[in-house]
Amino acid sequence: MFKHKSTKSMIFLTVAVIMVVAVTLTACNGNAFKPVEMPAQGEVSSNGGSAVRYGEWIYYINGYESNSSAANTYEQIETRVGAVARIKVADIENLFAVYDDSTFTSSSARTKEIANRLKEAAQIVVPNFYYSANSTSQQLNGIFIFGDRLYMLTPNDELTAGGNTQTNQSVLTSFKLDGSDPQRHYVFTNNAAQVMLNEIDGKVVATYIMDKEIGNINVADGSKIVMIEETASAQFDFAGKAVVYLDEDGSVCSLKAGQAEHKVLVENKIPEGKKESTVTYSVTSVNNGYVYYTMSDSTNSAIGNKCLYYATDSVKDQVAFAGETSSFSSFYGYKDTVVYADSSTVSGTTMYGIYIRNSEGDKVIVNPVQNDNSITFNRIEGDILYYTSNNIAYKVDLSAETPVVQAYGASLAAASNWYMPDIVGEYVITVASGSVTAVKFDAETKTNSSSVILTIVADTDEDDKD
């Protein structure tokens, strides 16, 4: 018995020594990631997406990493595509100032000077790279800052018991804003999961859609608040911080971020004497607690999708538009009515306008007399409608007594994967394959300035000679 205890103690001692040596070697081999300086406390703006402003800093994703199985260790690196970097706003202005400096006599000299200034100003903050295969709700993708921590999705670098990679999974991770204290919060078994992050009552909550499953996760401890399976047609209500879906019965339901119970907004009842419902609901759009839907009945073709209805927590089966919405080129439900785009011919020219239609008629948002360019709706969040016309991105507050259209971007690159151009203050930041650029948009002339490259790249031999 004594020998048994002694052997066990020796094993523990040996393991402890090995662990100490391992930690010592890690600290001495130069591979351990060295955090940057913690930023001064600041306000967050443009949360989510490829770039987020925090006080005087802009945190951004250092290019688009397309390979989920790429090297992704938490170690000191010169650069990694998709890693999280940061730069001060003042230093971005210094990059733009190079274009106005007449002492540069060639574009190559300007490019080199911008690269040198970027090398001094920008920093890798998180060496792990951001990745998502979610191209359904692209608006969700990117990095988020809550409190003093940065949250992101990254491929799962852990191996199975058989030694196989699991990079087809996504890990919700967070780091302090200096890049230290990495924490794994939750593993999504599919890296195409759509994940919406919100801060609810001081707690960070992840609301997700993954295949037919939706749920809420308490990010702090990685526990599931609720999980609902066998859903269909799930989509996010960003302004309302909820996910709307059809349950197994075809009823229209809503699950709010952070809550453990869902709510049935429109119940799909089975008629007496029938085995199943003859009604099918189709959700057309959701916005700020309103769910807009059409309905069809297999026993009555006369009512099939003839009206646009809406429902909220307190009302249901209310008519937003009593007509064929297919006549509109673009439309969204908006409060108790509908906002839509339409065209008309004036003196032989096709003109395009935006309207809100209610019981009193149409309220003109964009007068067609002033616009001969087609209109494409992008999204609606709360009272703000975003749309594109003639390759210019616009937004307008529909709740204003006299709505004023604002241009906020030009030639915004279309996203085919997770990334979308991000508007941070006066900058439009665009992530591409292995690169990231910033331009200034001039709303008056509706043009972009010359772009500056924000991509942190490794030094080359030629750089070392300079």
Side-chain angles (χ1 to χ4, degrees):
M1 187 175 180
F2 175 78
K3 289 182 178 179
H4 178 70
K5 284 187 177 180
S6 177
T7 304
K8 193 173 183 180
S9 298
M10 287 300 294
I11 292 173
F12 285 153
L13 179 60
T14 302
V15 171
V17 171
I18 291 172
M19 290 178 67
V20 170
V21 172
V23 171
T24 302
L25 289 174
T26 301
C28 297
N29 67 8
N31 289 332
F33 179 71
K34 298 177 181 64
V36 296
E37 184 180 355
M38 196 71 178
Q41 187 173 2
E43 292 186 4
V44 178
S45 61
S46 185
N47 215 0
S50 56
V52 180
R53 180 164 181 173
Y54 182 85
E56 62 180 341
W57 293 91
I58 290 180
Y59 286 72
Y60 63 94
I61 298 172
N62 191 46
Y64 169 62
E65 174 56 71
S66 61
N67 183 6
S68 65
S69 60
N72 194 28
T73 56
Y74 183 78
E75 63 180 27
Q76 195 70 32
I77 56 170
E78 282 188 277
T79 181
R80 174 176 284 141
V81 174
V84 180
R86 74 177 184 182
I87 187 172
K88 288 184 177 179
V89 173
D91 289 323
I92 295 181
E93 286 300 304
N94 286 336
L95 300 182
F96 278 109
V98 174
Y99 283 103
D100 299 323
D101 191 338
S102 59
T103 61
F104 293 100
T105 57
S106 68
S107 59
S108 61
R110 284 192 177 89
T111 300
K112 187 173 183 179
E113 177 63 17
I114 288 173
N116 288 335
R117 293 192 187 191
L118 179 69
K119 189 185 303 182
E120 294 297 320
Q123 304 169 314
I124 293 290
V125 181
V126 175
N128 295 131
F129 65 81
Y130 176 85
Y131 180 85
S132 175
N134 164 35
S135 58
T136 303
S137 297
Q138 294 167 321
Q139 191 179 341
L140 292 171
N141 295 323
I143 56 177
F144 290 79
I145 293 176
F146 298 107
D148 65 350
R149 298 191 69 84
L150 182 147
Y151 296 80
M152 60 183 271
L153 293 172
T154 192
N156 188 4
D157 59 357
E158 292 185 337
L159 301 177
T160 65
N164 297 313
T165 62
Q166 301 184 87
T167 55
N168 62 325
Q169 301 179 346
S170 280
V171 183
L172 177 57
T173 60
S174 73
F175 308 80
K176 282 191 173 181
L177 293 178
D178 61 358
S180 68
D181 190 28
Q183 294 183 14
R184 293 166 61 98
H185 298 289
Y186 189 82
V187 178
F188 294 95
T189 56
N190 184 335
N191 58 23
Q194 304 168 52
V195 184
M196 177 174 67
L197 295 178
N198 286 292
E199 191 170 29
I200 308 292
D201 298 328
K203 296 180 180 179
V204 180
V205 176
T207 306
Y208 69 91
I209 301 171
M210 187 170 61
D211 298 322
K212 294 183 178 181
E213 176 185 319
I214 67 171
N216 277 321
I217 297 168
N218 182 347
V219 172
D221 60 13
S223 62
K224 282 188 178 179
I225 300 171
V226 64
M227 179 185 74
I228 303 172
E229 299 179 291
E230 298 306 320
T231 69
S233 303
Q235 57 183 292
F236 285 104
D237 175 2
F238 300 106
K241 298 181 179 180
V243 56
V244 175
Y245 63 98
L246 301 178
D247 66 9
E248 291 179 282
D249 299 325
S251 298
V252 181
C253 305
S254 173
L255 175 67
K256 292 188 176 180
Q259 294 192 359
E261 298 291 337
H262 74 283
K263 185 161 187 175
V264 177
L265 301 179
V266 183
E267 184 179 3
N268 197 352
K269 297 180 180 179
I270 299 176
E272 187 175 350
K274 301 286 186 179
K275 293 183 178 180
E276 58 184 21
S277 174
T278 59
V279 172
T280 300
Y281 293 106
S282 299
V283 176
T284 63
S285 63
V286 295
N287 180 42
N288 205 21
Y290 285 77
V291 180
Y292 303 89
Y293 60 95
T294 58
M295 60 178 291
S296 60
D297 191 331
S298 60
T299 63
N300 186 355
S301 60
I303 66 170
N305 301 319
K306 299 299 183 183
C307 287
L308 180 68
Y309 300 91
Y310 71 89
T312 67
D313 282 348
S314 56
V315 301
K316 66 176 183 178
D317 291 341
Q318 298 295 306
V319 176
F321 179 70
E324 293 281 1
T325 54
S326 59
S327 63
F328 304 144
S329 59
S330 294
F331 79 95
Y332 288 121
Y334 174 62
K335 295 184 177 178
D336 59 354
T337 182
V338 62
V339 55
Y340 70 96
D342 206 356
S343 61
S344 58
T345 301
V346 179
S347 300
T349 302
T350 303
M351 310 298 283
Y352 302 85
I354 298 177
Y355 313 86
I356 294 177
R357 177 165 294 182
N358 55 37
S359 58
E360 298 177 356
D362 286 344
K363 177 181 179 179
V364 178
I365 305 299
V366 173
N367 194 328
V369 174
Q370 302 167 347
N371 182 49
D372 59 355
N373 296 305
S374 61
I375 291 170
T376 300
F377 283 3
N378 302 131
R379 68 185 190 275
I380 186 170
E381 285 184 36
D383 294 317
I384 309 300
L385 173 69
Y386 298 83
Y387 69 94
T388 302
S389 183
N390 195 30
N391 218 15
I392 305 296
Y394 297 91
K395 61 182 178 180
V396 58
D397 185 347
L398 301 176
S399 67
E401 184 174 344
T402 304
V404 177
V405 173
Q406 295 177 285
Y408 68 90
S411 303
L412 299 183
S416 59
N417 294 290
W418 66 260
Y419 54 91
M420 292 180 67
D422 210 3
I423 313 298
V424 184
E426 61 182 321
Y427 307 115
V428 179
I429 297 178
T430 302
V431 170
S433 179
S435 68
V436 54
T437 57
V439 301
K440 283 184 177 181
F441 175 70
D442 187 326
E444 185 174 345
T445 62
K446 297 184 177 61
T447 58
N448 290 329
S449 68
S450 299
S451 65
V452 294
I453 297 174
L454 300 182
T455 321
I456 300 178
V457 298
D459 287 337
T460 64
D461 292 340
E462 185 177 341
D463 292 331
D464 294 337
K465 294 177 184 178
D466 290 339

